[in-house]
Amino acid sequence: MTQAAQLAARWNALSQPARAVAGAAAALLAVVAVLWAVVAHPARATLFATPLHPEQLGEVEERLASWNVAFTPLSDNVVVAAGRRNDLLLRLSLAGVPHAHVQTTGEALAGVGVLTPQAVIDAQTRTGLAGDIESGLRGIEGVDDARVIVAPAKTAEFADESSRDASASVRLRLRTGSRLTRDTVAGIRAFVAAGVPGLTPERVTILDDRGVALGDESAGADAGDLQASLQTALNAAFGEGATIVRVHAEYSRDRNSERDVRRTPVSGTGIARAARVESFDDGGKRYRRRDETEDRGSETRERVTESTGGTIRRLSTAVFLDVARGLDAIKVRDLAGATVGYDAARGDSLVVQAVDFRHERVARKNAWWLLYGAIVPLLPVLVVVGAAWCAARAALPGITALLRALVERASIDRTTKAVAGFAPARVRSVLAQEPPHAAAAIISALPAATAAAVLDLYPPHERAAIVQRMARPHSPLIGDPTELLRRRA
């Protein structure tokens, strides 16, 4: 017989009250499970009060996915747990997500019609062009946001007017701790110039969020790049925290222009010849002077050299060494000078000193502190588990007694039905293995004459125990489980 058949047989063997109690308990457990699932399932709500644009929605989804936050995407919003909505909005605001929506060329020209004035079309075109450039700059590493202003070229229409070339102004908001290299700035300038007709890279001005103009100086890397390069090299050689590097550069703001003109003769002789002949005739009282000039031809070459401002005029480098590491200051000085391009003729300075770094001792936590830190987060769970265990232990005797009473009641009902109509001797043989309380319950259900005859067949001590069970007093407040089940039957 399979296990399912055995369970079915046991279920069929139960009495009607037992089946009712078991069904009610199962229904109660199902209702409790459903209520628990409803209560445990968090409420859901849209994250933003207003709809998002596609690029904003993509930024929010990317950031939530990187934070491992569960969400449900919609066409113009995301759905998250209602309890975490305020926290997520705060985190997104601190991260600068989502960026403000900017109009692209397609959006700016969507409302242009046949009767739209040309001036309005030009203004909308510039707005959309600036939005396209801003969206492109946001994807550059280290750039958090950008603002672009485009001034188009203007051709002089009258004699008293002057032409004006196209120009653009770019303001960049960098991420915390980010810096743009000279090559990156040059790339941004070329990117902006390529997106505006008639604009050259020289006419693009780039400003960071500190108000400092960014340019591609001809002196190579700037002070920040030199400092980062030297610090990275020393960290790789001696480890983190062994050195501290600071580089300061003084830039020249002067613009110099040099012009060199060279003439070379065509042939091997000189370029030109000049001669003067003088004669005096005293008799005739005459004076003569003749000047002769001969130009044999030459080649003229003119070279003009212009240097813009921004070149490094003086470089100051300081390297701090941790005296506890015992580093060789002379070798570090040579390495630092080669890395930053130290030039004594230019007036550069390079100082390397070993100093005592402040090393604050980290307070070590003992085992009791670690145990306390591990137990405190678990206290709510331990309290709930302990309360559940105490409640289960307190209710276990009553539940056990009720189940035992149900089983005994079912056994008594089956035996009572089986012995109904039997002779007293046969009833006695059937009840031979039954305990006194079960025999008392079965005999009480028999007719009085049959019950008396069956009791006479028991030995005196067993008969006394059965009679005592049959006449047992009950508490007026809490009834016996068997009696309660018998009354319900």
Side-chain angles (χ1 to χ4, degrees), residues 48 52-67 71 78 92 95-102 134-135 138-139 143-145 173 175:
F48 294 92
L52 300 178
H53 292 85
E55 75 277 2
Q56 295 176 322
L57 185 61
E59 289 180 351
V60 173
E61 291 179 356
E62 181 180 358
R63 191 55 60 95
L64 293 180
S66 64
W67 292 341
F71 65 93
V78 292
L92 290 173
V97 176
H99 291 93
H101 174 67
V102 293
E134 292 173 8
S135 300
R138 286 176 178 176
V143 177
D144 187 41
D145 201 358
R173 187 176 68 189
R175 294 189 178 94

PDB file of all heavy atoms in Angstrom, residues 48 52-67 71 78 92 95-102 134-135 138-139 143-145 173 175:
ATOM      1  N   PHE A  48       9.115  58.312  -9.423  1.00  0.00           N
ATOM      2  CA  PHE A  48       9.060  59.744  -9.696  1.00  0.00           C
ATOM      3  C   PHE A  48       7.613  60.184  -9.861  1.00  0.00           C
ATOM      4  O   PHE A  48       6.778  59.431 -10.378  1.00  0.00           O
ATOM      5  CB  PHE A  48       9.863  60.095 -10.948  1.00  0.00           C
ATOM      6  CG  PHE A  48      11.343  59.869 -10.796  1.00  0.00           C
ATOM      7  CD1 PHE A  48      11.912  58.663 -11.165  1.00  0.00           C
ATOM      8  CD2 PHE A  48      12.163  60.856 -10.278  1.00  0.00           C
ATOM      9  CE1 PHE A  48      13.266  58.447 -11.020  1.00  0.00           C
ATOM     10  CE2 PHE A  48      13.522  60.650 -10.131  1.00  0.00           C
ATOM     11  CZ  PHE A  48      14.081  59.431 -10.501  1.00  0.00           C
ATOM     12  N   LEU A  52       9.324  60.495 -17.036  1.00  0.00           N
ATOM     13  CA  LEU A  52      10.719  60.684 -17.427  1.00  0.00           C
ATOM     14  C   LEU A  52      10.861  60.570 -18.935  1.00  0.00           C
ATOM     15  O   LEU A  52      10.076  59.889 -19.595  1.00  0.00           O
ATOM     16  CB  LEU A  52      11.615  59.637 -16.751  1.00  0.00           C
ATOM     17  CG  LEU A  52      11.633  59.617 -15.226  1.00  0.00           C
ATOM     18  CD1 LEU A  52      12.533  58.492 -14.734  1.00  0.00           C
ATOM     19  CD2 LEU A  52      12.110  60.943 -14.664  1.00  0.00           C
ATOM     20  N   HIS A  53      11.872  61.241 -19.461  1.00  0.00           N
ATOM     21  CA  HIS A  53      12.223  61.089 -20.860  1.00  0.00           C
ATOM     22  C   HIS A  53      13.045  59.815 -21.047  1.00  0.00           C
ATOM     23  O   HIS A  53      13.597  59.272 -20.083  1.00  0.00           O
ATOM     24  CB  HIS A  53      12.993  62.312 -21.346  1.00  0.00           C
ATOM     25  CG  HIS A  53      12.165  63.561 -21.410  1.00  0.00           C
ATOM     26  ND1 HIS A  53      11.965  64.376 -20.311  1.00  0.00           N
ATOM     27  CD2 HIS A  53      11.456  64.134 -22.425  1.00  0.00           C
ATOM     28  CE1 HIS A  53      11.195  65.397 -20.642  1.00  0.00           C
ATOM     29  NE2 HIS A  53      10.872  65.275 -21.918  1.00  0.00           N
ATOM     30  N   PRO A  54      13.153  59.321 -22.266  1.00  0.00           N
ATOM     31  CA  PRO A  54      13.860  58.044 -22.474  1.00  0.00           C
ATOM     32  C   PRO A  54      15.293  58.041 -21.949  1.00  0.00           C
ATOM     33  O   PRO A  54      15.731  57.070 -21.322  1.00  0.00           O
ATOM     34  CB  PRO A  54      13.810  57.866 -24.002  1.00  0.00           C
ATOM     35  CG  PRO A  54      12.581  58.608 -24.425  1.00  0.00           C
ATOM     36  CD  PRO A  54      12.493  59.789 -23.509  1.00  0.00           C
ATOM     37  N   GLU A  55      16.062  59.131 -22.196  1.00  0.00           N
ATOM     38  CA  GLU A  55      17.450  59.141 -21.717  1.00  0.00           C
ATOM     39  C   GLU A  55      17.505  59.207 -20.191  1.00  0.00           C
ATOM     40  O   GLU A  55      18.384  58.615 -19.556  1.00  0.00           O
ATOM     41  CB  GLU A  55      18.236  60.297 -22.339  1.00  0.00           C
ATOM     42  CG  GLU A  55      17.922  61.673 -21.783  1.00  0.00           C
ATOM     43  CD  GLU A  55      16.686  62.291 -22.413  1.00  0.00           C
ATOM     44  OE1 GLU A  55      16.052  61.617 -23.258  1.00  0.00           O
ATOM     45  OE2 GLU A  55      16.367  63.448 -22.083  1.00  0.00           O
ATOM     46  N   GLN A  56      16.550  59.923 -19.553  1.00  0.00           N
ATOM     47  CA  GLN A  56      16.504  59.956 -18.095  1.00  0.00           C
ATOM     48  C   GLN A  56      16.144  58.588 -17.524  1.00  0.00           C
ATOM     49  O   GLN A  56      16.713  58.148 -16.519  1.00  0.00           O
ATOM     50  CB  GLN A  56      15.497  61.010 -17.631  1.00  0.00           C
ATOM     51  CG  GLN A  56      15.862  62.435 -17.981  1.00  0.00           C
ATOM     52  CD  GLN A  56      14.780  63.419 -17.585  1.00  0.00           C
ATOM     53  OE1 GLN A  56      13.588  63.128 -17.699  1.00  0.00           O
ATOM     54  NE2 GLN A  56      15.174  64.588 -17.121  1.00  0.00           N
ATOM     55  N   LEU A  57      15.184  57.917 -18.162  1.00  0.00           N
ATOM     56  CA  LEU A  57      14.795  56.579 -17.700  1.00  0.00           C
ATOM     57  C   LEU A  57      15.959  55.610 -17.798  1.00  0.00           C
ATOM     58  O   LEU A  57      16.172  54.776 -16.909  1.00  0.00           O
ATOM     59  CB  LEU A  57      13.602  56.082 -18.522  1.00  0.00           C
ATOM     60  CG  LEU A  57      12.973  54.751 -18.096  1.00  0.00           C
ATOM     61  CD1 LEU A  57      12.434  54.851 -16.676  1.00  0.00           C
ATOM     62  CD2 LEU A  57      11.867  54.345 -19.055  1.00  0.00           C
ATOM     63  N   GLY A  58      16.746  55.707 -18.865  1.00  0.00           N
ATOM     64  CA  GLY A  58      17.909  54.840 -18.997  1.00  0.00           C
ATOM     65  C   GLY A  58      18.936  55.095 -17.910  1.00  0.00           C
ATOM     66  O   GLY A  58      19.536  54.143 -17.373  1.00  0.00           O
ATOM     67  N   GLU A  59      19.173  56.362 -17.542  1.00  0.00           N
ATOM     68  CA  GLU A  59      20.117  56.670 -16.468  1.00  0.00           C
ATOM     69  C   GLU A  59      19.642  56.098 -15.137  1.00  0.00           C
ATOM     70  O   GLU A  59      20.431  55.514 -14.381  1.00  0.00           O
ATOM     71  CB  GLU A  59      20.273  58.185 -16.339  1.00  0.00           C
ATOM     72  CG  GLU A  59      21.017  58.838 -17.481  1.00  0.00           C
ATOM     73  CD  GLU A  59      21.138  60.339 -17.306  1.00  0.00           C
ATOM     74  OE1 GLU A  59      20.494  60.875 -16.373  1.00  0.00           O
ATOM     75  OE2 GLU A  59      21.839  60.958 -18.093  1.00  0.00           O
ATOM     76  N   VAL A  60      18.360  56.242 -14.834  1.00  0.00           N
ATOM     77  CA  VAL A  60      17.827  55.744 -13.557  1.00  0.00           C
ATOM     78  C   VAL A  60      17.916  54.218 -13.504  1.00  0.00           C
ATOM     79  O   VAL A  60      18.325  53.645 -12.480  1.00  0.00           O
ATOM     80  CB  VAL A  60      16.380  56.227 -13.371  1.00  0.00           C
ATOM     81  CG1 VAL A  60      15.754  55.584 -12.143  1.00  0.00           C
ATOM     82  CG2 VAL A  60      16.335  57.745 -13.240  1.00  0.00           C
ATOM     83  N   GLU A  61      17.532  53.538 -14.578  1.00  0.00           N
ATOM     84  CA  GLU A  61      17.588  52.077 -14.580  1.00  0.00           C
ATOM     85  C   GLU A  61      19.024  51.581 -14.434  1.00  0.00           C
ATOM     86  O   GLU A  61      19.285  50.601 -13.716  1.00  0.00           O
ATOM     87  CB  GLU A  61      16.961  51.547 -15.868  1.00  0.00           C
ATOM     88  CG  GLU A  61      15.455  51.764 -15.960  1.00  0.00           C
ATOM     89  CD  GLU A  61      14.892  51.249 -17.268  1.00  0.00           C
ATOM     90  OE1 GLU A  61      15.693  50.801 -18.122  1.00  0.00           O
ATOM     91  OE2 GLU A  61      13.655  51.293 -17.450  1.00  0.00           O
ATOM     92  N   GLU A  62      19.957  52.241 -15.092  1.00  0.00           N
ATOM     93  CA  GLU A  62      21.362  51.832 -14.975  1.00  0.00           C
ATOM     94  C   GLU A  62      21.874  52.011 -13.556  1.00  0.00           C
ATOM     95  O   GLU A  62      22.577  51.146 -13.023  1.00  0.00           O
ATOM     96  CB  GLU A  62      22.213  52.639 -15.956  1.00  0.00           C
ATOM     97  CG  GLU A  62      23.693  52.269 -15.934  1.00  0.00           C
ATOM     98  CD  GLU A  62      24.500  53.089 -16.915  1.00  0.00           C
ATOM     99  OE1 GLU A  62      23.886  53.919 -17.644  1.00  0.00           O
ATOM    100  OE2 GLU A  62      25.730  52.919 -16.955  1.00  0.00           O
ATOM    101  N   ARG A  63      21.516  53.124 -12.912  1.00  0.00           N
ATOM    102  CA  ARG A  63      21.990  53.355 -11.545  1.00  0.00           C
ATOM    103  C   ARG A  63      21.332  52.402 -10.557  1.00  0.00           C
ATOM    104  O   ARG A  63      22.000  51.866  -9.656  1.00  0.00           O
ATOM    105  CB  ARG A  63      21.710  54.812 -11.152  1.00  0.00           C
ATOM    106  CG  ARG A  63      22.387  55.234  -9.850  1.00  0.00           C
ATOM    107  CD  ARG A  63      23.886  54.988  -9.915  1.00  0.00           C
ATOM    108  NE  ARG A  63      24.502  55.740 -10.981  1.00  0.00           N
ATOM    109  CZ  ARG A  63      25.063  56.936 -10.808  1.00  0.00           C
ATOM    110  NH1 ARG A  63      25.076  57.481  -9.601  1.00  0.00           N
ATOM    111  NH2 ARG A  63      25.635  57.555 -11.814  1.00  0.00           N
ATOM    112  N   LEU A  64      20.025  52.127 -10.682  1.00  0.00           N
ATOM    113  CA  LEU A  64      19.364  51.180  -9.781  1.00  0.00           C
ATOM    114  C   LEU A  64      19.927  49.773  -9.962  1.00  0.00           C
ATOM    115  O   LEU A  64      20.081  49.028  -8.980  1.00  0.00           O
ATOM    116  CB  LEU A  64      17.853  51.188 -10.042  1.00  0.00           C
ATOM    117  CG  LEU A  64      17.094  52.480  -9.681  1.00  0.00           C
ATOM    118  CD1 LEU A  64      15.620  52.318 -10.006  1.00  0.00           C
ATOM    119  CD2 LEU A  64      17.281  52.840  -8.224  1.00  0.00           C
ATOM    120  N   ALA A  65      20.229  49.393 -11.187  1.00  0.00           N
ATOM    121  CA  ALA A  65      20.813  48.067 -11.418  1.00  0.00           C
ATOM    122  C   ALA A  65      22.198  47.961 -10.788  1.00  0.00           C
ATOM    123  O   ALA A  65      22.559  46.914 -10.235  1.00  0.00           O
ATOM    124  CB  ALA A  65      20.878  47.788 -12.918  1.00  0.00           C
ATOM    125  N   SER A  66      22.991  49.050 -10.846  1.00  0.00           N
ATOM    126  CA  SER A  66      24.314  49.012 -10.212  1.00  0.00           C
ATOM    127  C   SER A  66      24.214  48.945  -8.698  1.00  0.00           C
ATOM    128  O   SER A  66      25.120  48.419  -8.043  1.00  0.00           O
ATOM    129  CB  SER A  66      25.118  50.250 -10.624  1.00  0.00           C
ATOM    130  OG  SER A  66      24.502  51.437 -10.137  1.00  0.00           O
ATOM    131  N   TRP A  67      23.114  49.468  -8.120  1.00  0.00           N
ATOM    132  CA  TRP A  67      22.899  49.390  -6.671  1.00  0.00           C
ATOM    133  C   TRP A  67      22.208  48.098  -6.258  1.00  0.00           C
ATOM    134  O   TRP A  67      21.940  47.908  -5.063  1.00  0.00           O
ATOM    135  CB  TRP A  67      22.059  50.573  -6.205  1.00  0.00           C
ATOM    136  CG  TRP A  67      22.771  51.883  -6.308  1.00  0.00           C
ATOM    137  CD1 TRP A  67      24.116  52.084  -6.407  1.00  0.00           C
ATOM    138  CD2 TRP A  67      22.176  53.193  -6.309  1.00  0.00           C
ATOM    139  NE1 TRP A  67      24.400  53.422  -6.483  1.00  0.00           N
ATOM    140  CE2 TRP A  67      23.229  54.134  -6.422  1.00  0.00           C
ATOM    141  CE3 TRP A  67      20.869  53.651  -6.228  1.00  0.00           C
ATOM    142  CZ2 TRP A  67      23.004  55.496  -6.453  1.00  0.00           C
ATOM    143  CZ3 TRP A  67      20.651  55.012  -6.265  1.00  0.00           C
ATOM    144  CH2 TRP A  67      21.696  55.929  -6.371  1.00  0.00           C
ATOM    145  N   PHE A  71      13.402  46.635  -9.202  1.00  0.00           N
ATOM    146  CA  PHE A  71      12.467  47.620  -9.747  1.00  0.00           C
ATOM    147  C   PHE A  71      11.775  47.018 -10.955  1.00  0.00           C
ATOM    148  O   PHE A  71      12.237  46.027 -11.542  1.00  0.00           O
ATOM    149  CB  PHE A  71      13.197  48.910 -10.148  1.00  0.00           C
ATOM    150  CG  PHE A  71      14.172  48.739 -11.279  1.00  0.00           C
ATOM    151  CD1 PHE A  71      13.796  48.950 -12.599  1.00  0.00           C
ATOM    152  CD2 PHE A  71      15.476  48.346 -11.017  1.00  0.00           C
ATOM    153  CE1 PHE A  71      14.691  48.788 -13.634  1.00  0.00           C
ATOM    154  CE2 PHE A  71      16.389  48.179 -12.050  1.00  0.00           C
ATOM    155  CZ  PHE A  71      15.990  48.397 -13.365  1.00  0.00           C
ATOM    156  N   VAL A  78       9.664  54.102 -13.205  1.00  0.00           N
ATOM    157  CA  VAL A  78      10.034  52.817 -12.623  1.00  0.00           C
ATOM    158  C   VAL A  78       9.236  52.617 -11.344  1.00  0.00           C
ATOM    159  O   VAL A  78       8.896  53.582 -10.648  1.00  0.00           O
ATOM    160  CB  VAL A  78      11.547  52.732 -12.325  1.00  0.00           C
ATOM    161  CG1 VAL A  78      12.359  52.701 -13.606  1.00  0.00           C
ATOM    162  CG2 VAL A  78      11.996  53.877 -11.441  1.00  0.00           C
ATOM    163  N   LEU A  92      19.610  59.034  -5.518  1.00  0.00           N
ATOM    164  CA  LEU A  92      19.693  59.481  -6.908  1.00  0.00           C
ATOM    165  C   LEU A  92      19.985  60.977  -6.989  1.00  0.00           C
ATOM    166  O   LEU A  92      20.743  61.419  -7.872  1.00  0.00           O
ATOM    167  CB  LEU A  92      18.378  59.166  -7.635  1.00  0.00           C
ATOM    168  CG  LEU A  92      18.087  57.683  -7.905  1.00  0.00           C
ATOM    169  CD1 LEU A  92      16.698  57.508  -8.473  1.00  0.00           C
ATOM    170  CD2 LEU A  92      19.117  57.093  -8.859  1.00  0.00           C
ATOM    171  N   ALA A  95      23.602  61.530  -6.370  1.00  0.00           N
ATOM    172  CA  ALA A  95      24.394  61.066  -7.514  1.00  0.00           C
ATOM    173  C   ALA A  95      24.177  61.908  -8.763  1.00  0.00           C
ATOM    174  O   ALA A  95      24.850  61.691  -9.774  1.00  0.00           O
ATOM    175  CB  ALA A  95      24.059  59.598  -7.814  1.00  0.00           C
ATOM    176  N   GLY A  96      23.241  62.876  -8.727  1.00  0.00           N
ATOM    177  CA  GLY A  96      22.987  63.716  -9.884  1.00  0.00           C
ATOM    178  C   GLY A  96      22.224  63.024 -10.995  1.00  0.00           C
ATOM    179  O   GLY A  96      22.372  63.375 -12.170  1.00  0.00           O
ATOM    180  N   VAL A  97      21.409  62.046 -10.633  1.00  0.00           N
ATOM    181  CA  VAL A  97      20.640  61.265 -11.615  1.00  0.00           C
ATOM    182  C   VAL A  97      19.158  61.449 -11.304  1.00  0.00           C
ATOM    183  O   VAL A  97      18.739  61.361 -10.132  1.00  0.00           O
ATOM    184  CB  VAL A  97      21.037  59.780 -11.537  1.00  0.00           C
ATOM    185  CG1 VAL A  97      20.187  58.928 -12.471  1.00  0.00           C
ATOM    186  CG2 VAL A  97      22.508  59.620 -11.896  1.00  0.00           C
ATOM    187  N   PRO A  98      18.327  61.688 -12.316  1.00  0.00           N
ATOM    188  CA  PRO A  98      18.694  61.852 -13.739  1.00  0.00           C
ATOM    189  C   PRO A  98      19.080  63.281 -14.057  1.00  0.00           C
ATOM    190  O   PRO A  98      18.720  64.213 -13.331  1.00  0.00           O
ATOM    191  CB  PRO A  98      17.409  61.452 -14.457  1.00  0.00           C
ATOM    192  CG  PRO A  98      16.325  61.880 -13.517  1.00  0.00           C
ATOM    193  CD  PRO A  98      16.858  61.664 -12.124  1.00  0.00           C
ATOM    194  N   HIS A  99      19.831  63.445 -15.156  1.00  0.00           N
ATOM    195  CA  HIS A  99      20.190  64.785 -15.597  1.00  0.00           C
ATOM    196  C   HIS A  99      18.958  65.506 -16.156  1.00  0.00           C
ATOM    197  O   HIS A  99      17.980  64.877 -16.550  1.00  0.00           O
ATOM    198  CB  HIS A  99      21.276  64.716 -16.669  1.00  0.00           C
ATOM    199  CG  HIS A  99      22.596  64.258 -16.143  1.00  0.00           C
ATOM    200  ND1 HIS A  99      22.990  62.936 -16.149  1.00  0.00           N
ATOM    201  CD2 HIS A  99      23.621  64.943 -15.579  1.00  0.00           C
ATOM    202  CE1 HIS A  99      24.188  62.825 -15.623  1.00  0.00           C
ATOM    203  NE2 HIS A  99      24.603  64.022 -15.265  1.00  0.00           N
ATOM    204  N   ALA A 100      19.070  66.815 -16.176  1.00  0.00           N
ATOM    205  CA  ALA A 100      17.981  67.616 -16.751  1.00  0.00           C
ATOM    206  C   ALA A 100      17.864  67.313 -18.246  1.00  0.00           C
ATOM    207  O   ALA A 100      18.863  67.126 -18.942  1.00  0.00           O
ATOM    208  CB  ALA A 100      18.249  69.094 -16.521  1.00  0.00           C
ATOM    209  N   HIS A 101      16.642  67.262 -18.708  1.00  0.00           N
ATOM    210  CA  HIS A 101      16.412  66.942 -20.121  1.00  0.00           C
ATOM    211  C   HIS A 101      16.786  68.138 -20.987  1.00  0.00           C
ATOM    212  O   HIS A 101      16.476  69.294 -20.661  1.00  0.00           O
ATOM    213  CB  HIS A 101      14.942  66.580 -20.336  1.00  0.00           C
ATOM    214  CG  HIS A 101      14.586  66.379 -21.771  1.00  0.00           C
ATOM    215  ND1 HIS A 101      15.077  65.336 -22.530  1.00  0.00           N
ATOM    216  CD2 HIS A 101      13.782  67.112 -22.600  1.00  0.00           C
ATOM    217  CE1 HIS A 101      14.597  65.419 -23.748  1.00  0.00           C
ATOM    218  NE2 HIS A 101      13.807  66.492 -23.822  1.00  0.00           N
ATOM    219  N   VAL A 102      17.491  67.869 -22.074  1.00  0.00           N
ATOM    220  CA  VAL A 102      17.856  68.909 -23.033  1.00  0.00           C
ATOM    221  C   VAL A 102      17.204  68.586 -24.371  1.00  0.00           C
ATOM    222  O   VAL A 102      17.073  67.420 -24.754  1.00  0.00           O
ATOM    223  CB  VAL A 102      19.389  69.002 -23.201  1.00  0.00           C
ATOM    224  CG1 VAL A 102      20.039  69.495 -21.929  1.00  0.00           C
ATOM    225  CG2 VAL A 102      19.986  67.661 -23.603  1.00  0.00           C
ATOM    226  N   GLU A 134      25.571  68.725 -25.813  1.00  0.00           N
ATOM    227  CA  GLU A 134      25.540  68.457 -24.371  1.00  0.00           C
ATOM    228  C   GLU A 134      25.301  66.978 -24.089  1.00  0.00           C
ATOM    229  O   GLU A 134      25.933  66.392 -23.197  1.00  0.00           O
ATOM    230  CB  GLU A 134      24.456  69.307 -23.718  1.00  0.00           C
ATOM    231  CG  GLU A 134      24.748  70.795 -23.719  1.00  0.00           C
ATOM    232  CD  GLU A 134      23.578  71.611 -23.216  1.00  0.00           C
ATOM    233  OE1 GLU A 134      22.604  71.001 -22.730  1.00  0.00           O
ATOM    234  OE2 GLU A 134      23.629  72.854 -23.316  1.00  0.00           O
ATOM    235  N   SER A 135      24.392  66.362 -24.819  1.00  0.00           N
ATOM    236  CA  SER A 135      24.139  64.933 -24.613  1.00  0.00           C
ATOM    237  C   SER A 135      25.369  64.104 -24.936  1.00  0.00           C
ATOM    238  O   SER A 135      25.661  63.109 -24.259  1.00  0.00           O
ATOM    239  CB  SER A 135      22.962  64.489 -25.498  1.00  0.00           C
ATOM    240  OG  SER A 135      21.786  65.208 -25.168  1.00  0.00           O
ATOM    241  N   ARG A 138      28.046  64.371 -22.061  1.00  0.00           N
ATOM    242  CA  ARG A 138      27.724  63.680 -20.804  1.00  0.00           C
ATOM    243  C   ARG A 138      28.286  62.264 -20.753  1.00  0.00           C
ATOM    244  O   ARG A 138      28.454  61.708 -19.677  1.00  0.00           O
ATOM    245  CB  ARG A 138      26.215  63.621 -20.619  1.00  0.00           C
ATOM    246  CG  ARG A 138      25.589  64.952 -20.232  1.00  0.00           C
ATOM    247  CD  ARG A 138      24.081  64.845 -20.161  1.00  0.00           C
ATOM    248  NE  ARG A 138      23.470  66.110 -19.753  1.00  0.00           N
ATOM    249  CZ  ARG A 138      22.169  66.311 -19.678  1.00  0.00           C
ATOM    250  NH1 ARG A 138      21.321  65.317 -20.006  1.00  0.00           N
ATOM    251  NH2 ARG A 138      21.685  67.475 -19.301  1.00  0.00           N
ATOM    252  N   GLY A 139      28.559  61.682 -21.881  1.00  0.00           N
ATOM    253  CA  GLY A 139      29.082  60.318 -21.876  1.00  0.00           C
ATOM    254  C   GLY A 139      30.574  60.230 -21.706  1.00  0.00           C
ATOM    255  O   GLY A 139      31.124  59.122 -21.636  1.00  0.00           O
ATOM    256  N   VAL A 143      33.077  63.564 -16.844  1.00  0.00           N
ATOM    257  CA  VAL A 143      32.166  64.693 -17.055  1.00  0.00           C
ATOM    258  C   VAL A 143      30.785  64.304 -16.558  1.00  0.00           C
ATOM    259  O   VAL A 143      30.202  63.333 -17.021  1.00  0.00           O
ATOM    260  CB  VAL A 143      32.119  65.087 -18.547  1.00  0.00           C
ATOM    261  CG1 VAL A 143      31.105  66.211 -18.754  1.00  0.00           C
ATOM    262  CG2 VAL A 143      33.491  65.515 -19.028  1.00  0.00           C
ATOM    263  N   ASP A 144      30.276  65.057 -15.588  1.00  0.00           N
ATOM    264  CA  ASP A 144      28.954  64.775 -15.049  1.00  0.00           C
ATOM    265  C   ASP A 144      27.855  65.467 -15.852  1.00  0.00           C
ATOM    266  O   ASP A 144      26.806  64.895 -16.108  1.00  0.00           O
ATOM    267  CB  ASP A 144      28.894  65.213 -13.581  1.00  0.00           C
ATOM    268  CG  ASP A 144      27.597  64.803 -12.913  1.00  0.00           C
ATOM    269  OD1 ASP A 144      27.140  63.671 -13.163  1.00  0.00           O
ATOM    270  OD2 ASP A 144      27.022  65.611 -12.165  1.00  0.00           O
ATOM    271  N   ASP A 145      28.085  66.708 -16.249  1.00  0.00           N
ATOM    272  CA  ASP A 145      27.094  67.435 -17.030  1.00  0.00           C
ATOM    273  C   ASP A 145      27.811  68.518 -17.818  1.00  0.00           C
ATOM    274  O   ASP A 145      28.965  68.867 -17.527  1.00  0.00           O
ATOM    275  CB  ASP A 145      26.034  68.054 -16.109  1.00  0.00           C
ATOM    276  CG  ASP A 145      24.738  68.375 -16.864  1.00  0.00           C
ATOM    277  OD1 ASP A 145      24.698  68.138 -18.087  1.00  0.00           O
ATOM    278  OD2 ASP A 145      23.785  68.855 -16.238  1.00  0.00           O
ATOM    279  N   ARG A 173      30.750  70.287 -15.845  1.00  0.00           N
ATOM    280  CA  ARG A 173      30.668  69.946 -14.419  1.00  0.00           C
ATOM    281  C   ARG A 173      31.272  68.565 -14.249  1.00  0.00           C
ATOM    282  O   ARG A 173      30.728  67.570 -14.723  1.00  0.00           O
ATOM    283  CB  ARG A 173      29.225  69.969 -13.931  1.00  0.00           C
ATOM    284  CG  ARG A 173      29.107  69.792 -12.404  1.00  0.00           C
ATOM    285  CD  ARG A 173      27.675  69.920 -11.945  1.00  0.00           C
ATOM    286  NE  ARG A 173      26.859  68.818 -12.407  1.00  0.00           N
ATOM    287  CZ  ARG A 173      25.537  68.767 -12.293  1.00  0.00           C
ATOM    288  NH1 ARG A 173      24.903  69.779 -11.765  1.00  0.00           N
ATOM    289  NH2 ARG A 173      24.873  67.725 -12.727  1.00  0.00           N
ATOM    290  N   ARG A 175      32.868  65.198 -12.287  1.00  0.00           N
ATOM    291  CA  ARG A 175      32.567  64.356 -11.128  1.00  0.00           C
ATOM    292  C   ARG A 175      33.588  64.604 -10.026  1.00  0.00           C
ATOM    293  O   ARG A 175      34.701  65.056 -10.275  1.00  0.00           O
ATOM    294  CB  ARG A 175      32.565  62.882 -11.522  1.00  0.00           C
ATOM    295  CG  ARG A 175      31.443  62.516 -12.487  1.00  0.00           C
ATOM    296  CD  ARG A 175      31.353  61.018 -12.662  1.00  0.00           C
ATOM    297  NE  ARG A 175      30.257  60.655 -13.540  1.00  0.00           N
ATOM    298  CZ  ARG A 175      30.384  60.459 -14.836  1.00  0.00           C
ATOM    299  NH1 ARG A 175      31.581  60.557 -15.395  1.00  0.00           N
ATOM    300  NH2 ARG A 175      29.343  60.137 -15.584  1.00  0.00           N
TER     301      ARG A 175
END
